[in-house]
């Protein structure tokens, strides 16, 4: 079995590590929240804001479109506007479903990028109307998940979640 070039291996390794870290933070942030809190749209009930539920659906859609389809060639039909338009009620996904779906998507993304060669990552393709190589697409997805993880964590804290992602730092002076 041929090994990928060191640069490719490191970039893929970093993506896997960060996707997993962000997923862990999201799971920890969402765990203490109720179903109603998951759909809360921010201070002042800002109808234009996104709830944590919307952001979870959006991360699933983005990772699926960019990594599974864009890099891995797997079929996926994305309905981006529905990710943000979703509201609580009949037919809406619940917390367990949203978190499980995102977890499964991250796992599939990790498997997909492990299978890509340096040549495949270097190939230019079109994803969501952007012309870019696989390296840029991979980097984008890590940055994108980081951004929305921060939003989810902030919303969870505003809702009273007591989060401590780095307990090893508690007693440092």
């Amino acid at each position: 079995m041929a090994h990928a070039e060191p640069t490719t291996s490191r970039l893929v390794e970093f993506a896997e590590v960060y996707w997993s870290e962000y997923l862990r933070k999201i799971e920890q942030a969402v765990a203490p929240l109720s179903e109603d809190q998951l759909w809360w749209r921010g201070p002042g009930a800002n109808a234009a804001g996104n709830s944590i539920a919307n952001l979870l659906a959006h991360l699933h859609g983005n990772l699926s479109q960019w990594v599974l389809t864009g890099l891995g060639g797997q079929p996926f039909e994305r309905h981006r506007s529905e990710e943000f338009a979703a509201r609580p009620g009949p037919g809406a996904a619940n917390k367990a479903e949203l978190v499980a779906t995102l977890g499964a998507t991250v796992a599939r993304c990790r498997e997909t990028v492990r299978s890509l060669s340096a040549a495949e990552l270097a190939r230019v393709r079109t994803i969501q109307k952007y012309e870019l190589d696989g390296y840029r697409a991979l980097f984008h997805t890590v940055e994108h998940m980081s951004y929305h993880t921060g939003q989810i964590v902030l919303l969870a804290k505003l809702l009273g979640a007591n989060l401590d992602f780095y307990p090893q730092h508690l007693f440092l002076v």
Side-chain angles (χ1 to χ4, degrees), residues 29-157:
V30 169
L33 303 179
S34 69
E35 295 292 334
D36 287 341
Q37 288 174 315
L38 197 72
W39 289 97
W40 182 68
R41 300 187 78 74
N46 180 357
N50 292 311
S51 69
I52 291 173
N54 295 121
L55 294 170
L56 293 172
H58 176 62
L59 284 171
H60 159 69
N62 178 269
L63 287 168
S64 296
Q65 181 180 25
W66 283 72
V67 179
L68 301 180
T69 299
L71 298 179
Q74 300 171 34
F76 178 75
E77 185 176 326
R78 186 176 185 192
H79 303 280
R80 189 175 185 277
S81 61
E82 291 176 19
E83 298 163 12
F84 300 109
R87 297 294 189 268
N94 66 36
K95 178 170 71 169
E97 293 167 333
L98 289 164
V99 172
T101 297
L102 181 58
T105 301
V106 167
R108 289 180 58 208
C109 287
R110 293 181 68 197
E111 291 172 16
T112 298
V113 298
R114 272 188 234 128
S115 71
L116 298 175
S117 67
E120 189 59 24
L121 281 169
R123 184 173 65 80
V124 174
R125 72 229 36 230
T126 302
I127 304 174
Q128 199 175 340
K129 300 183 183 179
Y130 297 99
E131 292 248 346
L132 67 170
D133 66 25
Y135 292 107
R136 281 191 55 206
L138 186 58
F139 191 80
H140 162 78
T141 63
V142 172
E143 178 276 331
H144 184 261
M145 190 167 181
S146 171
Y147 177 79
H148 289 306
T149 298
Q151 290 178 319
I152 290 167
V153 167
L154 176 61
L155 288 170
K157 286 181 176 183

